[in-house]
Amino acid sequence: MTALLTGLHALVTGAGRGIGAAIVRNLAGAGADVTLVGRSRRDLEAVAAELEPVRRSCQVADVADAESVRTAVAAARAAIGPITVLVNNAGQALSGPLGATSDALWHSMLSVNLTGTFHCMRECLPDMLKAGFGRIVNVASTAGLVGYPYVSAYCASKHGVIGLTRAVALETARRNVTVNAVCPGYADTDLVRTAVANISAKTGRGESEALAELLSHNPQGRLVTPEEVADTVRWLCLRSSASITGQSIAVAGGEVM
Ligand code: NAP
Protein backbone atom coordinates (compact mmCIF):
# COMPACT_ATOMS: atom_id res chain seq x y z
CA MET A 1 0.00 0.00 0.00
CA THR A 2 3.04 2.30 0.40
CA ALA A 3 2.88 5.48 -1.67
CA LEU A 4 -0.78 5.19 -2.68
CA LEU A 5 -1.42 8.52 -0.97
CA THR A 6 1.81 10.26 -2.03
CA GLY A 7 1.19 13.87 -3.04
CA LEU A 8 -1.80 14.29 -0.73
CA HIS A 9 -1.91 16.45 2.39
CA ALA A 10 -4.13 14.86 5.06
CA LEU A 11 -5.34 16.86 8.06
CA VAL A 12 -6.51 14.62 10.91
CA THR A 13 -8.24 16.00 14.01
CA GLY A 14 -7.89 14.36 17.41
CA ALA A 15 -4.61 12.90 16.15
CA GLY A 16 -2.78 12.73 19.47
CA ARG A 17 -4.15 9.38 20.64
CA GLY A 18 -6.68 6.62 20.06
CA ILE A 19 -8.30 6.23 16.66
CA GLY A 20 -6.90 9.56 15.37
CA ALA A 21 -3.30 8.53 16.08
CA ALA A 22 -3.89 5.21 14.28
CA ILE A 23 -5.33 7.08 11.29
CA VAL A 24 -2.42 9.49 11.01
CA ARG A 25 0.11 6.62 11.23
CA ASN A 26 -1.80 4.72 8.56
CA LEU A 27 -2.12 7.64 6.12
CA ALA A 28 1.54 8.61 6.58
CA GLY A 29 2.47 4.96 6.06
CA ALA A 30 0.72 5.17 2.69
CA GLY A 31 2.77 8.22 1.74
CA ALA A 32 0.50 11.17 2.65
CA ASP A 33 1.95 14.32 4.18
CA VAL A 34 0.04 14.91 7.41
CA THR A 35 -1.16 17.64 9.72
CA LEU A 36 -2.06 16.53 13.23
CA VAL A 37 -4.68 18.66 15.02
CA GLY A 38 -5.70 18.46 18.68
CA ARG A 39 -5.65 20.35 21.95
CA SER A 40 -2.41 18.87 23.35
CA ARG A 41 0.78 19.82 21.49
CA ARG A 42 2.72 17.26 23.51
CA ASP A 43 0.47 14.38 22.35
CA LEU A 44 0.55 15.55 18.72
CA GLU A 45 4.34 15.88 18.67
CA ALA A 46 4.79 12.45 20.25
CA VAL A 47 2.75 10.83 17.45
CA ALA A 48 4.39 12.97 14.74
CA ALA A 49 7.88 11.98 15.92
CA GLU A 50 7.36 8.32 15.10
CA LEU A 51 5.86 8.71 11.61
CA GLU A 52 7.19 7.54 8.26
CA PRO A 53 9.48 10.09 6.56
CA VAL A 54 6.69 12.31 5.25
CA ARG A 55 6.20 16.02 5.79
CA ARG A 56 4.22 16.67 8.95
CA SER A 57 2.89 19.64 10.94
CA CYS A 58 1.25 19.80 14.37
CA GLN A 59 -1.46 22.40 14.97
CA VAL A 60 -3.08 23.01 18.34
CA ALA A 61 -6.79 23.78 17.98
CA ASP A 62 -10.11 23.26 19.68
CA VAL A 63 -12.41 22.09 16.87
CA ALA A 64 -15.42 23.60 18.66
CA ASP A 65 -13.93 27.08 18.17
CA ALA A 66 -14.31 28.40 14.61
CA GLU A 67 -11.44 30.89 14.88
CA SER A 68 -9.10 28.29 16.34
CA VAL A 69 -9.85 25.95 13.42
CA ARG A 70 -9.38 28.75 10.88
CA THR A 71 -5.96 29.59 12.32
CA ALA A 72 -4.86 25.94 12.45
CA VAL A 73 -5.93 25.19 8.87
CA ALA A 74 -4.19 28.33 7.59
CA ALA A 75 -0.99 27.32 9.41
CA ALA A 76 -1.20 23.76 8.03
CA ARG A 77 -1.65 25.12 4.51
CA ALA A 78 1.31 27.46 4.93
CA ALA A 79 3.49 24.61 6.25
CA ILE A 80 2.69 21.85 3.76
CA GLY A 81 0.28 23.16 1.11
CA PRO A 82 -3.41 22.85 0.27
CA ILE A 83 -5.38 20.26 2.23
CA THR A 84 -6.66 17.44 0.02
CA VAL A 85 -7.73 14.93 2.69
CA LEU A 86 -9.64 15.81 5.87
CA VAL A 87 -10.40 13.28 8.58
CA ASN A 88 -12.76 14.65 11.23
CA ASN A 89 -11.99 12.33 14.11
CA ALA A 90 -11.88 14.59 17.21
CA GLY A 91 -14.72 13.69 19.51
CA GLN A 92 -15.94 13.29 23.04
CA ALA A 93 -18.52 10.93 24.56
CA LEU A 94 -20.22 12.02 27.76
CA SER A 95 -23.18 9.99 29.02
CA GLY A 96 -26.22 10.24 31.25
CA PRO A 97 -29.98 9.74 31.12
CA LEU A 98 -31.85 12.48 29.23
CA GLY A 99 -33.32 13.97 32.42
CA ALA A 100 -29.84 14.40 33.88
CA THR A 101 -28.35 15.84 30.69
CA SER A 102 -27.26 19.39 31.55
CA ASP A 103 -27.17 22.20 29.02
CA ALA A 104 -23.39 22.10 29.32
CA LEU A 105 -23.17 18.39 28.47
CA TRP A 106 -25.59 18.78 25.55
CA HIS A 107 -23.73 21.78 24.11
CA SER A 108 -20.33 20.17 24.51
CA MET A 109 -21.39 17.03 22.60
CA LEU A 110 -22.92 19.06 19.79
CA SER A 111 -20.16 21.67 19.62
CA VAL A 112 -17.22 19.24 19.52
CA ASN A 113 -18.66 16.29 17.58
CA LEU A 114 -20.97 18.04 15.12
CA THR A 115 -20.06 21.73 14.94
CA GLY A 116 -16.35 20.83 15.08
CA THR A 117 -16.82 18.65 12.01
CA PHE A 118 -18.65 21.50 10.26
CA HIS A 119 -15.89 24.00 11.13
CA CYS A 120 -13.15 21.79 9.68
CA MET A 121 -15.11 20.94 6.52
CA ARG A 122 -15.88 24.60 5.88
CA GLU A 123 -12.20 25.57 6.20
CA CYS A 124 -10.74 22.70 4.15
CA LEU A 125 -13.29 22.24 1.38
CA PRO A 126 -12.21 25.31 -0.68
CA ASP A 127 -8.71 23.80 -1.11
CA MET A 128 -10.26 20.57 -2.43
CA LEU A 129 -12.63 22.32 -4.83
CA LYS A 130 -9.72 24.37 -6.18
CA ALA A 131 -7.54 21.26 -6.58
CA GLY A 132 -10.35 19.30 -8.26
CA PHE A 133 -9.73 16.49 -5.77
CA GLY A 134 -10.69 15.85 -2.17
CA ARG A 135 -11.47 13.15 0.36
CA ILE A 136 -13.38 13.92 3.57
CA VAL A 137 -13.93 11.15 6.10
CA ASN A 138 -15.96 11.88 9.21
CA VAL A 139 -15.48 9.48 12.11
CA ALA A 140 -19.07 9.17 13.35
CA SER A 141 -20.14 6.07 15.30
CA THR A 142 -22.69 3.29 15.28
CA ALA A 143 -24.41 5.84 17.55
CA GLY A 144 -24.94 7.85 14.34
CA LEU A 145 -26.93 4.98 12.85
CA VAL A 146 -28.96 3.67 15.79
CA GLY A 147 -29.97 4.89 19.24
CA TYR A 148 -28.38 3.72 22.48
CA PRO A 149 -29.76 4.52 25.95
CA TYR A 150 -28.02 7.07 28.23
CA VAL A 151 -26.05 8.75 25.43
CA SER A 152 -28.75 10.86 23.80
CA ALA A 153 -26.57 13.95 23.28
CA TYR A 154 -23.75 11.86 21.81
CA CYS A 155 -26.23 9.98 19.57
CA ALA A 156 -27.81 13.24 18.41
CA SER A 157 -24.39 14.68 17.55
CA LYS A 158 -23.32 11.59 15.60
CA HIS A 159 -26.66 11.33 13.74
CA GLY A 160 -26.00 14.97 12.84
CA VAL A 161 -22.55 14.11 11.49
CA ILE A 162 -24.13 11.53 9.18
CA GLY A 163 -26.72 14.02 7.91
CA LEU A 164 -23.97 16.58 7.31
CA THR A 165 -21.92 13.95 5.46
CA ARG A 166 -24.82 13.04 3.16
CA ALA A 167 -25.67 16.66 2.35
CA VAL A 168 -22.13 17.80 1.55
CA ALA A 169 -21.48 14.63 -0.49
CA LEU A 170 -24.29 15.72 -2.82
CA GLU A 171 -22.95 19.29 -3.02
CA THR A 172 -19.51 18.06 -4.08
CA ALA A 173 -20.49 15.00 -6.14
CA ARG A 174 -19.45 16.53 -9.46
CA ARG A 175 -16.22 18.04 -8.16
CA ASN A 176 -14.22 14.85 -7.44
CA VAL A 177 -14.59 15.44 -3.71
CA THR A 178 -16.01 12.50 -1.76
CA VAL A 179 -17.51 12.79 1.71
CA ASN A 180 -18.10 9.67 3.78
CA ALA A 181 -18.58 8.63 7.38
CA VAL A 182 -16.95 5.72 9.18
CA CYS A 183 -18.97 4.35 12.08
CA PRO A 184 -16.95 2.37 14.62
CA GLY A 185 -18.54 0.19 17.24
CA TYR A 186 -16.95 0.17 20.71
CA ALA A 187 -13.21 0.47 20.09
CA ASP A 188 -10.15 -0.07 22.25
CA THR A 189 -9.30 3.53 23.25
CA ASP A 190 -9.34 5.90 26.25
CA LEU A 191 -12.91 6.84 25.33
CA VAL A 192 -14.18 3.32 26.05
CA ARG A 193 -11.92 2.88 29.09
CA THR A 194 -13.51 6.03 30.56
CA ALA A 195 -17.01 4.79 29.66
CA VAL A 196 -16.36 1.47 31.40
CA ALA A 197 -15.09 3.26 34.53
CA ASN A 198 -18.18 5.53 34.53
CA ILE A 199 -20.63 2.63 34.14
CA SER A 200 -18.86 0.81 36.94
CA ALA A 201 -18.93 3.86 39.22
CA LYS A 202 -22.60 4.62 38.52
CA THR A 203 -23.96 1.05 38.73
CA GLY A 204 -21.60 -0.54 41.27
CA ARG A 205 -20.84 -3.34 38.79
CA GLY A 206 -17.24 -4.42 38.29
CA GLU A 207 -15.32 -3.08 35.30
CA SER A 208 -15.20 -6.49 33.59
CA GLU A 209 -18.99 -6.74 33.84
CA ALA A 210 -19.39 -3.20 32.48
CA LEU A 211 -17.06 -4.04 29.58
CA ALA A 212 -18.97 -7.27 28.90
CA GLU A 213 -22.16 -5.20 28.55
CA LEU A 214 -20.49 -3.04 25.87
CA LEU A 215 -19.03 -6.08 24.11
CA SER A 216 -22.47 -7.71 23.94
CA HIS A 217 -23.35 -5.23 21.16
CA ASN A 218 -20.64 -6.67 18.89
CA PRO A 219 -21.40 -10.12 17.39
CA GLN A 220 -17.65 -10.76 17.27
CA GLY A 221 -17.59 -10.27 21.05
CA ARG A 222 -14.58 -7.95 21.11
CA LEU A 223 -13.58 -4.31 20.86
CA VAL A 224 -12.82 -2.95 17.40
CA THR A 225 -9.15 -1.95 17.09
CA PRO A 226 -8.14 1.62 16.13
CA GLU A 227 -6.10 0.11 13.27
CA GLU A 228 -9.24 -1.49 11.77
CA VAL A 229 -10.94 1.90 11.73
CA ALA A 230 -7.79 3.49 10.24
CA ASP A 231 -7.65 0.91 7.43
CA THR A 232 -11.23 1.79 6.46
CA VAL A 233 -10.42 5.51 6.50
CA ARG A 234 -7.38 4.94 4.27
CA TRP A 235 -9.47 2.94 1.78
CA LEU A 236 -11.94 5.84 1.50
CA CYS A 237 -9.04 8.27 0.93
CA LEU A 238 -7.65 6.39 -2.08
CA ARG A 239 -7.85 8.07 -5.48
CA SER A 240 -9.53 4.85 -6.68
CA SER A 241 -12.39 5.22 -4.15
CA ALA A 242 -13.88 8.05 -6.22
CA SER A 243 -17.31 6.43 -6.62
CA ILE A 244 -17.89 5.97 -2.90
CA THR A 245 -19.52 9.07 -1.46
CA GLY A 246 -22.29 9.92 0.99
CA GLN A 247 -21.86 6.55 2.70
CA SER A 248 -21.78 5.64 6.38
CA ILE A 249 -19.69 2.52 6.80
CA ALA A 250 -19.97 0.54 10.02
CA VAL A 251 -16.76 -0.97 11.42
CA ALA A 252 -18.51 -2.84 14.19
CA GLY A 253 -18.08 -6.60 13.91
CA GLY A 254 -21.45 -7.16 12.26
CA GLU A 255 -23.62 -5.24 14.74
CA VAL A 256 -27.00 -4.97 13.05
CA MET A 257 -27.95 -1.39 12.17
P1 NAP B 1 -10.07 9.35 22.49
O1 NAP B 1 -9.02 8.32 22.66
O2 NAP B 1 -10.73 9.93 23.68
O3 NAP B 1 -9.48 10.50 21.55
C1 NAP B 1 -10.25 11.62 21.23
C2 NAP B 1 -9.37 12.61 20.51
O4 NAP B 1 -10.14 13.77 20.18
C3 NAP B 1 -8.19 13.04 21.35
O5 NAP B 1 -7.05 13.10 20.53
C4 NAP B 1 -8.61 14.43 21.82
O6 NAP B 1 -7.45 15.18 22.00
C5 NAP B 1 -9.42 14.93 20.64
N1 NAP B 1 -10.36 15.98 21.00
C6 NAP B 1 -11.37 15.92 21.90
N2 NAP B 1 -12.00 17.09 21.97
C7 NAP B 1 -11.37 17.92 21.10
C8 NAP B 1 -11.57 19.26 20.72
N3 NAP B 1 -12.53 20.02 21.25
N4 NAP B 1 -10.76 19.80 19.78
C9 NAP B 1 -9.76 19.06 19.23
N5 NAP B 1 -9.53 17.78 19.55
C10 NAP B 1 -10.32 17.22 20.48
O7 NAP B 1 -11.27 8.78 21.62
P2 NAP B 1 -11.32 7.79 20.36
O8 NAP B 1 -12.01 6.57 20.83
O9 NAP B 1 -10.02 7.69 19.69
O10 NAP B 1 -12.38 8.59 19.47
C11 NAP B 1 -12.09 9.13 18.21
C12 NAP B 1 -13.40 9.32 17.46
O11 NAP B 1 -14.01 8.03 17.27
C13 NAP B 1 -14.43 10.18 18.19
O12 NAP B 1 -15.09 11.01 17.25
C14 NAP B 1 -15.39 9.16 18.75
O13 NAP B 1 -16.69 9.68 18.94
C15 NAP B 1 -15.35 8.11 17.67
N6 NAP B 1 -15.80 6.79 18.12
C16 NAP B 1 -15.11 6.13 19.10
C17 NAP B 1 -15.58 4.89 19.53
C18 NAP B 1 -14.90 4.11 20.61
O14 NAP B 1 -15.49 3.13 21.08
N7 NAP B 1 -13.68 4.44 21.02
C19 NAP B 1 -16.71 4.32 18.93
C20 NAP B 1 -17.37 5.03 17.94
C21 NAP B 1 -16.90 6.26 17.54
P3 NAP B 1 -7.30 16.27 23.16
O15 NAP B 1 -8.18 15.83 24.30
O16 NAP B 1 -5.86 16.28 23.48
O17 NAP B 1 -7.75 17.51 22.51
Side-chain angles (χ1 to χ4, degrees):
M1 296 300 281
T2 305
L4 281 175
L5 300 182
T6 297
L8 301 181
H9 175 191
L11 185 148
V12 181
T13 67
R17 56 190 156 91
I19 292 170
I23 291 169
V24 93
R25 284 186 200 108
N26 198 312
L27 299 185
D33 296 324
V34 287
T35 289
L36 298 83
V37 174
R39 292 176 302 175
S40 160
R41 176 168 295 283
R42 202 167 138 212
D43 286 359
L44 299 177
E45 288 181 347
V47 174
E50 60 181 51
L51 294 176
E52 299 288 323
V54 294
R55 290 189 295 167
R56 79 283 312 259
S57 81
C58 295
Q59 305 299 337
V60 174
D62 178 344
V63 297
D65 179 336
E67 192 52 42
S68 170
V69 169
R70 193 168 297 127
T71 304
V73 170
R77 196 181 285 125
I80 295 184
I83 288 121
T84 40
V85 173
L86 167 65
V87 183
N88 282 302
N89 164 81
Q92 297 178 11
L94 299 175
S95 61
L98 183 75
T101 296
S102 64
D103 287 0
L105 188 153
W106 175 265
H107 287 305
S108 97
M109 290 301 91
L110 271 287
S111 64
V112 175
N113 297 342
L114 178 55
T115 308
T117 300
F118 157 67
H119 287 153
C120 295
M121 288 170 80
R122 187 176 58 182
E123 291 308 315
C124 295
L125 188 55
D127 280 4
M128 300 181 190
L129 295 175
K130 198 167 169 197
F133 174 89
R135 299 282 180 263
I136 299 176
V137 183
N138 296 326
V139 180
S141 167
T142 50
L145 299 167
V146 293
Y148 296 102
Y150 309 118
V151 282
S152 53
Y154 181 73
C155 271
S157 70
K158 294 297 189 179
H159 274 68
V161 168
I162 288 178
L164 177 65
T165 300
R166 290 177 172 149
V168 182
L170 293 175
E171 280 185 34
T172 61
R174 290 172 184 255
R175 307 289 297 274
N176 197 21
V177 174
T178 65
V179 189
N180 290 290
V182 168
C183 301
Y186 291 109
D188 190 7
T189 70
D190 290 350
L191 186 143
V192 158
R193 285 184 276 279
T194 305
V196 165
N198 284 344
I199 293 169
S200 181
K202 280 180 187 158
T203 63
R205 287 186 276 162
E207 292 205 354
S208 56
E209 204 186 326
L211 177 62
E213 154 62 19
L214 299 187
L215 293 183
S216 70
H217 292 276
N218 182 328
Q220 294 180 337
R222 65 176 178 85
L223 292 174
V224 172
T225 69
E227 291 72 25
E228 289 172 316
V229 181
D231 278 346
T232 307
V233 170
R234 178 183 56 188
W235 165 61
L236 290 168
C237 293
L238 296 175
R239 292 173 174 89
S240 57
S241 295
S243 285
I244 305 162
T245 195
Q247 303 305 300
S248 304
I249 296 164
V251 184
E255 183 178 350
V256 177
M257 300 299 153

